[in-house]
Amino acid sequence: MKYGYFDEEQKEYVITRPDTPAPWANYLGSPDYGAIISNNAGGYSFVKSGANGRILRYHFNSDDTPGRYLYIRDDASGDYWSASWQPVGKDLAVYKNECRHGTAYTKITAEYQGITSEALYYVPLNKTYEVWRLRLQNTSQTERKLSAFGYAEFTNDSNYEQDQINLQYTLFITKTYFKNNKILQTINQNELKDKEGSNGKERFFGCVGTEVTSYNGDKTAFLGSYRTYGNPIAVEKGHCDNVLNYNSNSCGALHSSFTLQPGETKEIVYILGRYNDKDSDEILKAYEDPGVTEKEIQELKDYWHGKLNNFQVNTPSSEFNSMINTWNAYQCFITFIWSRAASFIYCGQRNGYGYRDTVQDIQGIIHLDPAMAKERIRFMLSAQVDNGGGLPLVKYDHNAGNEDTPDDYSYVQATGHPAYRADDALWLFPTILKYIGESGDTGFLKEVIPYANKEEDTVYGHLKRAIRFSMERQGDHKMPAGLHADWNDCLRLGKKGESTFVAFQLYYAMSIIKDFAKDQKDSEYIEYINKVQGELFDTIQSLCWEDDRYIRGIKEDGQVIGSKKDAEASMWLNPQSWAVISGLADREQGEAALESVHRELNTPYGVRLMAPSFVDHAFPGALAILFNPSTKENGGIFSQPQGWIILAESLMGHGNRAFEYFKGSSPAMQNDHAEIRVLEPYVHGQFTESTDSPFEGRSHVHWLTGTASTVMVGCVEGILGMRPDLYGLRIAPSIPSDWKEITIKKVFRGKSLNIRVENKDGAEGGYKEMYLNGVRQEDNYIVENSLKEENEILLVM
Ligand code: GLC
């Protein structure tokens, strides 16, 4: 079943049936003001922190309520509906609805009984409040008497948990007022008295474009007892009773009534934010100018489309195009911005950035906005401890140079993270390589950045210490120790256990730092790396290769994990893809390992993380057993590694396989059987249920996942073959053999590249010749200084 389609031109996903299998969400706003909205206007908002700055309430794990509700009532008949299908939920045979999720805005239109409505939701660029613009038009032949109700359900406390749980306190601390066409809500009002500013404890919900006829500041007065958001008593009656809350739940409900002649339109702009009386009046005043909202929407589009347009591709697959050009790219920015903080699954309680997640997330936006990436890389380097390891959790108020570390009890107590993880700092290598490749900013290696706890060093020095961290923490076989965990949070090999995944990462990091060392003319270090990398190579090859696969690791007590002989979890995905990505596997091993993946792990919905799932033979430390079989790390189709297997197949020149995996796992490819996938067809989720599940193909944990960046990298670097390095760009596509031509528009180091790849002979990798501005090149590599401002590039496969 299909619920919508991609509008590539507008960069929107258009939901044509509102009864989607789950709420399909969009993100509005910025780190200063975040807002999440579903296609039925469900969702919430917060200032800065989902945990501590919550303004709008949301019922998690429930029915997508409440939300940014706009009710419309025909005052002649008493019939009423909502601008989004829910919460009133009119019969879809007579109520037409369309939702357009765009880049940082959502527009919901409806048609019912001769009235069309358009509700446009957004957070203006660089502003910390949100706008709900309602437009109504009378498309019938008769005059209509109508009422509009805007409803915003405030939290009673900015702290999400307090609002939900500590009711004996939070029910008794808020009050509402009606002033100048708005509801003003205060928290701990007496305490506020005489204090400068609102201290974050005043919120408002007001409107422009209509006189408020009646209002409620009390939730129950608006909804009525034993009623739902679908049939509020105030809407049913056609007016509010001007009841303000006192020792009860607050809300902002604004009613206005008016008449529309045939063809006439009316626009009401509702605004919600955390501002005091005076400031909110000023904000509302600015919207008296009717052109403001259009201007602001254009600004948002210019901002986001401007970023996305730095990389645009045209291939024969419209799904691939929509994901790479718009949705995967937008998701990369959203995960970059929000990390794992707030979604319909994450309630906002995470109090910092996960190290590995964040360093990975950066990778997804580097080709679109290297400067934005650089700032975050700096920040993450400043969260590296002077011993070279990463802080498992980087607090939002991270204070570089002064932080405690996992070696301090205070850090463990404050963050709940008991120890270092083996992989955290190793993610810096590919991320920094990609950044320098995309920007050409080799000078970054010399920039001095503090460590999290004490001292400082150049970026290059930071990376050396990351290598040292792994070298100083080895297991009995001289492979990097597993420490608390590696990428797989559910795999505890023991502190001295050894992880092949980390070993591959370290091997890869050594190759990268060698290139940096050459640039830094650090020959002594190159010599050292050559020696230790050679040793690591021998160790991995002798211990971890088993016929047609690499094992997953060796436990502290010597037990091999991921051996062919194992009754369960005998085949693991990541060691195979990373053996190729790291450059360690030879051609034959790479072919065999990837073939084993295809044979043993592939499903119609992507590749399983491992198989068979743990049921009876989990070892102590195999925490994946906690999950149902074929779920998450227990043999589910974990989404993030799909990007790595796409990349690995591409690096091997297997364009058909790479695209097969893209097709299997890509949300867009599931658009026409959305009832199976359930999750939004335009964003990746954390995982998809696989073969042992009665719901094979169903995906979970939308939006905030490292999948965005790894799949982006798998497609851009892998399938499309954009492989920048320190001094230029290699173009090495691995595409399906039936793609006869693709074109790519890319901004590279400030220059425009128009790339055309011709594939008349149906190759899936490799190239015959390449031309830059009409001149045949020696190979498929472009040195930066041979580029003009505008460049035509032709690569013949
Ligand atoms: C989750 C975590 C990530 C981890 C992955 C695998 O996505 O956010 O850090 O690598 O699970 O366990």
Side-chain angles (χ1 to χ4, degrees), residues 614-635:
F614 288 121
V615 178
D616 297 316
H617 300 279
F619 56 91
L623 303 185
I625 184 93
L626 298 173
F627 297 117
N628 294 328
S630 280
T631 303
K632 292 185 67 127
E633 284 93 338
N634 194 14

PDB file of all heavy atoms in Angstrom, residues 614-635:
ATOM      1  N   PHE A 614      20.557 -15.156  18.398  1.00  0.00           N
ATOM      2  CA  PHE A 614      20.745 -15.880  19.660  1.00  0.00           C
ATOM      3  C   PHE A 614      19.393 -16.321  20.219  1.00  0.00           C
ATOM      4  O   PHE A 614      18.466 -15.507  20.333  1.00  0.00           O
ATOM      5  CB  PHE A 614      21.403 -14.981  20.717  1.00  0.00           C
ATOM      6  CG  PHE A 614      22.846 -14.692  20.449  1.00  0.00           C
ATOM      7  CD1 PHE A 614      23.286 -13.384  20.298  1.00  0.00           C
ATOM      8  CD2 PHE A 614      23.786 -15.715  20.392  1.00  0.00           C
ATOM      9  CE1 PHE A 614      24.624 -13.100  20.082  1.00  0.00           C
ATOM     10  CE2 PHE A 614      25.138 -15.434  20.178  1.00  0.00           C
ATOM     11  CZ  PHE A 614      25.550 -14.130  20.022  1.00  0.00           C
ATOM     12  N   VAL A 615      19.295 -17.587  20.543  1.00  0.00           N
ATOM     13  CA  VAL A 615      18.107 -18.091  21.221  1.00  0.00           C
ATOM     14  C   VAL A 615      18.558 -18.993  22.374  1.00  0.00           C
ATOM     15  O   VAL A 615      18.188 -18.791  23.527  1.00  0.00           O
ATOM     16  CB  VAL A 615      17.193 -18.880  20.263  1.00  0.00           C
ATOM     17  CG1 VAL A 615      15.977 -19.439  21.016  1.00  0.00           C
ATOM     18  CG2 VAL A 615      16.718 -18.002  19.114  1.00  0.00           C
ATOM     19  N   ASP A 616      19.416 -19.964  22.039  1.00  0.00           N
ATOM     20  CA  ASP A 616      19.849 -20.945  23.049  1.00  0.00           C
ATOM     21  C   ASP A 616      21.347 -20.921  23.344  1.00  0.00           C
ATOM     22  O   ASP A 616      21.799 -21.591  24.259  1.00  0.00           O
ATOM     23  CB  ASP A 616      19.505 -22.361  22.564  1.00  0.00           C
ATOM     24  CG  ASP A 616      18.007 -22.550  22.419  1.00  0.00           C
ATOM     25  OD1 ASP A 616      17.281 -22.118  23.324  1.00  0.00           O
ATOM     26  OD2 ASP A 616      17.575 -23.108  21.383  1.00  0.00           O
ATOM     27  N   HIS A 617      22.107 -20.223  22.526  1.00  0.00           N
ATOM     28  CA  HIS A 617      23.558 -20.368  22.657  1.00  0.00           C
ATOM     29  C   HIS A 617      24.291 -19.049  22.838  1.00  0.00           C
ATOM     30  O   HIS A 617      25.414 -18.894  22.363  1.00  0.00           O
ATOM     31  CB  HIS A 617      24.114 -21.098  21.433  1.00  0.00           C
ATOM     32  CG  HIS A 617      23.539 -22.454  21.244  1.00  0.00           C
ATOM     33  ND1 HIS A 617      23.991 -23.565  21.941  1.00  0.00           N
ATOM     34  CD2 HIS A 617      22.512 -22.883  20.488  1.00  0.00           C
ATOM     35  CE1 HIS A 617      23.271 -24.619  21.591  1.00  0.00           C
ATOM     36  NE2 HIS A 617      22.364 -24.238  20.706  1.00  0.00           N
ATOM     37  N   ALA A 618      23.660 -18.118  23.503  1.00  0.00           N
ATOM     38  CA  ALA A 618      24.354 -16.849  23.736  1.00  0.00           C
ATOM     39  C   ALA A 618      25.436 -17.055  24.782  1.00  0.00           C
ATOM     40  O   ALA A 618      25.252 -17.812  25.727  1.00  0.00           O
ATOM     41  CB  ALA A 618      23.361 -15.800  24.195  1.00  0.00           C
ATOM     42  N   PHE A 619      26.562 -16.364  24.625  1.00  0.00           N
ATOM     43  CA  PHE A 619      27.613 -16.435  25.641  1.00  0.00           C
ATOM     44  C   PHE A 619      27.378 -15.284  26.619  1.00  0.00           C
ATOM     45  O   PHE A 619      26.706 -14.298  26.274  1.00  0.00           O
ATOM     46  CB  PHE A 619      28.994 -16.334  24.985  1.00  0.00           C
ATOM     47  CG  PHE A 619      29.171 -15.105  24.150  1.00  0.00           C
ATOM     48  CD1 PHE A 619      29.680 -13.936  24.704  1.00  0.00           C
ATOM     49  CD2 PHE A 619      28.830 -15.096  22.792  1.00  0.00           C
ATOM     50  CE1 PHE A 619      29.828 -12.789  23.936  1.00  0.00           C
ATOM     51  CE2 PHE A 619      28.985 -13.957  22.028  1.00  0.00           C
ATOM     52  CZ  PHE A 619      29.486 -12.796  22.604  1.00  0.00           C
ATOM     53  N   PRO A 620      27.928 -15.382  27.823  1.00  0.00           N
ATOM     54  CA  PRO A 620      27.765 -14.249  28.740  1.00  0.00           C
ATOM     55  C   PRO A 620      28.417 -13.035  28.080  1.00  0.00           C
ATOM     56  O   PRO A 620      29.529 -13.130  27.596  1.00  0.00           O
ATOM     57  CB  PRO A 620      28.555 -14.672  29.982  1.00  0.00           C
ATOM     58  CG  PRO A 620      28.850 -16.125  29.812  1.00  0.00           C
ATOM     59  CD  PRO A 620      28.751 -16.469  28.363  1.00  0.00           C
ATOM     60  N   GLY A 621      27.743 -11.970  28.009  1.00  0.00           N
ATOM     61  CA  GLY A 621      28.302 -10.794  27.304  1.00  0.00           C
ATOM     62  C   GLY A 621      27.614 -10.571  25.968  1.00  0.00           C
ATOM     63  O   GLY A 621      27.765  -9.527  25.345  1.00  0.00           O
ATOM     64  N   ALA A 622      26.852 -11.570  25.499  1.00  0.00           N
ATOM     65  CA  ALA A 622      26.076 -11.389  24.266  1.00  0.00           C
ATOM     66  C   ALA A 622      24.737 -10.774  24.649  1.00  0.00           C
ATOM     67  O   ALA A 622      23.715 -11.449  24.728  1.00  0.00           O
ATOM     68  CB  ALA A 622      25.882 -12.720  23.560  1.00  0.00           C
ATOM     69  N   LEU A 623      24.772  -9.475  24.896  1.00  0.00           N
ATOM     70  CA  LEU A 623      23.568  -8.827  25.414  1.00  0.00           C
ATOM     71  C   LEU A 623      22.421  -8.815  24.404  1.00  0.00           C
ATOM     72  O   LEU A 623      21.268  -8.571  24.763  1.00  0.00           O
ATOM     73  CB  LEU A 623      23.886  -7.387  25.830  1.00  0.00           C
ATOM     74  CG  LEU A 623      24.998  -7.193  26.853  1.00  0.00           C
ATOM     75  CD1 LEU A 623      25.106  -5.738  27.257  1.00  0.00           C
ATOM     76  CD2 LEU A 623      24.757  -8.062  28.087  1.00  0.00           C
ATOM     77  N   ALA A 624      22.739  -9.094  23.155  1.00  0.00           N
ATOM     78  CA  ALA A 624      21.703  -9.086  22.117  1.00  0.00           C
ATOM     79  C   ALA A 624      20.583 -10.078  22.426  1.00  0.00           C
ATOM     80  O   ALA A 624      19.455  -9.911  21.975  1.00  0.00           O
ATOM     81  CB  ALA A 624      22.320  -9.398  20.760  1.00  0.00           C
ATOM     82  N   ILE A 625      20.901 -11.091  23.230  1.00  0.00           N
ATOM     83  CA  ILE A 625      19.894 -12.101  23.585  1.00  0.00           C
ATOM     84  C   ILE A 625      18.670 -11.460  24.260  1.00  0.00           C
ATOM     85  O   ILE A 625      17.586 -12.028  24.280  1.00  0.00           O
ATOM     86  CB  ILE A 625      20.510 -13.192  24.490  1.00  0.00           C
ATOM     87  CG1 ILE A 625      19.531 -14.324  24.799  1.00  0.00           C
ATOM     88  CG2 ILE A 625      20.959 -12.622  25.830  1.00  0.00           C
ATOM     89  CD1 ILE A 625      19.588 -15.473  23.915  1.00  0.00           C
ATOM     90  N   LEU A 626      18.883 -10.269  24.821  1.00  0.00           N
ATOM     91  CA  LEU A 626      17.765  -9.590  25.483  1.00  0.00           C
ATOM     92  C   LEU A 626      16.647  -9.261  24.507  1.00  0.00           C
ATOM     93  O   LEU A 626      15.485  -9.149  24.885  1.00  0.00           O
ATOM     94  CB  LEU A 626      18.255  -8.289  26.137  1.00  0.00           C
ATOM     95  CG  LEU A 626      19.308  -8.443  27.232  1.00  0.00           C
ATOM     96  CD1 LEU A 626      19.828  -7.080  27.662  1.00  0.00           C
ATOM     97  CD2 LEU A 626      18.721  -9.179  28.431  1.00  0.00           C
ATOM     98  N   PHE A 627      16.999  -9.114  23.248  1.00  0.00           N
ATOM     99  CA  PHE A 627      15.984  -8.751  22.256  1.00  0.00           C
ATOM    100  C   PHE A 627      15.386  -9.998  21.624  1.00  0.00           C
ATOM    101  O   PHE A 627      16.039 -11.044  21.528  1.00  0.00           O
ATOM    102  CB  PHE A 627      16.608  -7.884  21.152  1.00  0.00           C
ATOM    103  CG  PHE A 627      17.130  -6.570  21.655  1.00  0.00           C
ATOM    104  CD1 PHE A 627      18.479  -6.262  21.574  1.00  0.00           C
ATOM    105  CD2 PHE A 627      16.276  -5.632  22.222  1.00  0.00           C
ATOM    106  CE1 PHE A 627      18.969  -5.051  22.045  1.00  0.00           C
ATOM    107  CE2 PHE A 627      16.755  -4.419  22.697  1.00  0.00           C
ATOM    108  CZ  PHE A 627      18.103  -4.128  22.609  1.00  0.00           C
ATOM    109  N   ASN A 628      14.185  -9.867  21.153  1.00  0.00           N
ATOM    110  CA  ASN A 628      13.570 -10.963  20.413  1.00  0.00           C
ATOM    111  C   ASN A 628      14.436 -11.295  19.197  1.00  0.00           C
ATOM    112  O   ASN A 628      15.105 -10.414  18.659  1.00  0.00           O
ATOM    113  CB  ASN A 628      12.178 -10.549  19.919  1.00  0.00           C
ATOM    114  CG  ASN A 628      11.218 -10.339  21.065  1.00  0.00           C
ATOM    115  OD1 ASN A 628      11.318 -11.007  22.095  1.00  0.00           O
ATOM    116  ND2 ASN A 628      10.298  -9.404  20.912  1.00  0.00           N
ATOM    117  N   PRO A 629      14.415 -12.541  18.759  1.00  0.00           N
ATOM    118  CA  PRO A 629      15.188 -12.903  17.572  1.00  0.00           C
ATOM    119  C   PRO A 629      14.802 -12.024  16.373  1.00  0.00           C
ATOM    120  O   PRO A 629      13.637 -11.621  16.243  1.00  0.00           O
ATOM    121  CB  PRO A 629      14.806 -14.361  17.330  1.00  0.00           C
ATOM    122  CG  PRO A 629      14.351 -14.868  18.652  1.00  0.00           C
ATOM    123  CD  PRO A 629      13.742 -13.700  19.362  1.00  0.00           C
ATOM    124  N   SER A 630      15.781 -11.742  15.530  1.00  0.00           N
ATOM    125  CA  SER A 630      15.592 -10.915  14.324  1.00  0.00           C
ATOM    126  C   SER A 630      15.274  -9.467  14.638  1.00  0.00           C
ATOM    127  O   SER A 630      14.668  -8.752  13.836  1.00  0.00           O
ATOM    128  CB  SER A 630      14.498 -11.485  13.420  1.00  0.00           C
ATOM    129  OG  SER A 630      15.013 -12.536  12.663  1.00  0.00           O
ATOM    130  N   THR A 631      15.667  -9.047  15.829  1.00  0.00           N
ATOM    131  CA  THR A 631      15.376  -7.688  16.290  1.00  0.00           C
ATOM    132  C   THR A 631      16.667  -6.998  16.702  1.00  0.00           C
ATOM    133  O   THR A 631      17.506  -7.621  17.356  1.00  0.00           O
ATOM    134  CB  THR A 631      14.438  -7.754  17.513  1.00  0.00           C
ATOM    135  OG1 THR A 631      13.268  -8.465  17.123  1.00  0.00           O
ATOM    136  CG2 THR A 631      14.057  -6.373  18.008  1.00  0.00           C
ATOM    137  N   LYS A 632      16.824  -5.771  16.310  1.00  0.00           N
ATOM    138  CA  LYS A 632      17.995  -4.982  16.683  1.00  0.00           C
ATOM    139  C   LYS A 632      19.282  -5.793  16.524  1.00  0.00           C
ATOM    140  O   LYS A 632      19.484  -6.469  15.531  1.00  0.00           O
ATOM    141  CB  LYS A 632      17.825  -4.428  18.101  1.00  0.00           C
ATOM    142  CG  LYS A 632      16.708  -3.394  18.147  1.00  0.00           C
ATOM    143  CD  LYS A 632      16.538  -2.709  19.480  1.00  0.00           C
ATOM    144  CE  LYS A 632      17.626  -1.825  19.911  1.00  0.00           C
ATOM    145  NZ  LYS A 632      17.252  -0.465  20.294  1.00  0.00           N
ATOM    146  N   GLU A 633      20.164  -5.742  17.525  1.00  0.00           N
ATOM    147  CA  GLU A 633      21.467  -6.413  17.392  1.00  0.00           C
ATOM    148  C   GLU A 633      21.339  -7.943  17.388  1.00  0.00           C
ATOM    149  O   GLU A 633      22.302  -8.638  17.117  1.00  0.00           O
ATOM    150  CB  GLU A 633      22.408  -5.987  18.526  1.00  0.00           C
ATOM    151  CG  GLU A 633      23.013  -4.590  18.367  1.00  0.00           C
ATOM    152  CD  GLU A 633      22.200  -3.508  19.066  1.00  0.00           C
ATOM    153  OE1 GLU A 633      20.984  -3.731  19.312  1.00  0.00           O
ATOM    154  OE2 GLU A 633      22.781  -2.443  19.370  1.00  0.00           O
ATOM    155  N   ASN A 634      20.163  -8.461  17.727  1.00  0.00           N
ATOM    156  CA  ASN A 634      20.002  -9.920  17.744  1.00  0.00           C
ATOM    157  C   ASN A 634      19.518 -10.461  16.385  1.00  0.00           C
ATOM    158  O   ASN A 634      18.415 -11.016  16.280  1.00  0.00           O
ATOM    159  CB  ASN A 634      19.037 -10.346  18.854  1.00  0.00           C
ATOM    160  CG  ASN A 634      19.130 -11.858  19.122  1.00  0.00           C
ATOM    161  OD1 ASN A 634      20.075 -12.517  18.677  1.00  0.00           O
ATOM    162  ND2 ASN A 634      18.152 -12.397  19.835  1.00  0.00           N
ATOM    163  N   GLY A 635      20.332 -10.245  15.395  1.00  0.00           N
ATOM    164  CA  GLY A 635      19.996 -10.816  14.081  1.00  0.00           C
ATOM    165  C   GLY A 635      18.978 -10.011  13.309  1.00  0.00           C
ATOM    166  O   GLY A 635      18.417 -10.476  12.316  1.00  0.00           O
TER     167      GLY A 635
END
